Amino acid sequence: GESVGLHLPTLSVQEGDNSIINCAYSNSASDYFIWYKQESGKGPQFIIDIRSNMDKRQGQRVTVLLNKTVKHLSLQIAATQPGDSAVYFCAEISPLGGGGNKLTFGTGTQLKVEL
Amino acid sequence: DAGITQSPRHKVTETGTPVTLRCHQTENHRYMYWYRQDPGHGLRLIHYSYGVKDTDKGEVSDGYSVSRSKTEDFLLTLESATSSQTSVYFCAISDTSGSVFGPGTRLLVL
């Protein structure tokens, strides 16, 4: 598997349970965040995003919560399925000179779904 | 994503040799990026491009150069590969918000 899986915090959940993955960020000026999912051998895949003018956003089976006071994000996955097994990253988005956006990633959390 | 491809997908090379990785997109996005992914560091930005012939350094650019002669192609070159450049390299593209990533290139420098 991906060597990026080493040294990662791991969350193990039973199939059908809800999962909560947490992320702390450091820059209080950050105003845009994205959660990515990375399966073994693949690139990160966009899950959901949130801007700082919101504290909650929902997608299909996923919810992101943003607490700006303590600089904390969480990703909630409802009714976790085996296909949800992956590494999950939060990323802060910041502007680059010339345009475009830089993603600053955390080290990730390995989610393991047990049958 | 079908809109981004990377080549090669795997490469083994020797210390001191030059290596070029290619990223190709069919989305006509303006911005393209190269990241590397290593245990304990997550993904880190190497270089990025904001248009044809317009590139700039990221946070870990030492030992790497890039070129973008066409909108669809962004090349990453390791002028003289070192063992510390063993990593998984991801290309990404974006328009105005989050980035879409390619499948990655696994590089081993012996």
Side-chain angles (χ1 to χ4, degrees):
Chain A
E2 285 283 287
S3 61
V4 70
L6 296 176
H7 314 302
L8 289 177
T10 299
L11 174 65
S12 294
V13 299
Q14 293 290 322
E15 182 180 6
D17 287 350
N18 296 335
S19 302
I20 300 177
I21 299 171
N22 297 303
C23 176
Y25 63 94
S26 56
N27 185 357
S28 58
S30 295
D31 61 2
Y32 183 37
F33 303 88
I34 298 176
W35 279 98
Y36 282 90
K37 172 186 180 182
Q38 186 175 26
E39 297 174 280
S40 182
K42 297 183 179 180
Q45 178 184 9
F46 175 96
I47 302 174
I48 191 168
D49 60 358
I50 190 167
R51 295 193 181 271
S52 60
N53 61 351
M54 306 173 71
D55 53 19
K56 179 179 180 179
R57 191 166 188 216
Q58 290 184 290
Q60 187 176 19
R61 282 201 308 119
V62 295
T63 300
V64 55
L65 300 178
L66 174 61
N67 185 329
K68 296 179 287 292
T69 301
V70 295
K71 293 186 284 187
H72 182 268
L73 282 160
S74 67
L75 177 70
Q76 301 178 3
I77 304 173
T80 311
Q81 302 169 358
D84 294 327
S85 293
V87 177
Y88 290 81
F89 297 93
C90 67
E92 298 174 58
I93 315 306
S94 55
L96 289 166
N101 291 300
K102 173 186 174 183
L103 280 66
T104 300
F105 288 84
T107 52
T109 296
Q110 175 83 57
L111 176 64
K112 294 186 177 180
V113 181
E114 299 170 348
L115 303 177
Chain B
D1 280 71
I4 314 175
T5 56
Q6 293 183 230
S7 59
R9 293 294 314 278
H10 301 270
K11 186 169 181 67
V12 180
T13 192
E14 294 185 348
T15 298
T17 60
V19 176
T20 295
L21 308 183
R22 179 180 183 241
C23 177
H24 179 78
Q25 62 148 329
T26 59
E27 306 297 319
N28 201 36
H29 283 336
R30 177 180 176 185
Y31 305 108
M32 298 185 74
Y33 313 81
W34 278 106
Y35 287 85
R36 60 177 290 174
Q37 186 172 37
D38 305 290
H41 292 281
L43 286 92
R44 293 178 292 173
L45 182 64
I46 305 171
H47 280 280
Y48 66 98
S49 170
Y50 47 97
V52 173
K53 299 191 188 312
D54 291 324
T55 65
D56 207 345
K57 296 178 180 180
E59 59 187 296
V60 290
S61 60
D62 287 349
Y64 302 94
S65 63
V66 290
S67 65
R68 192 167 178 201
S69 59
K70 298 185 289 185
T71 299
E72 57 266 36
D73 290 326
F74 192 32
L75 304 180
L76 177 71
T77 297
L78 290 65
E79 303 290 348
S80 177
T82 68
S83 58
S84 65
Q85 293 176 312
T86 291
S87 188
V88 182
Y89 290 87
F90 288 100
C91 175
I93 63 175
S94 72
D95 43 15
T96 58
S97 56
S99 296
V100 177
F101 286 82
T105 294
R106 186 180 289 271
L107 176 67
L108 175 61
V109 183
L110 300 175

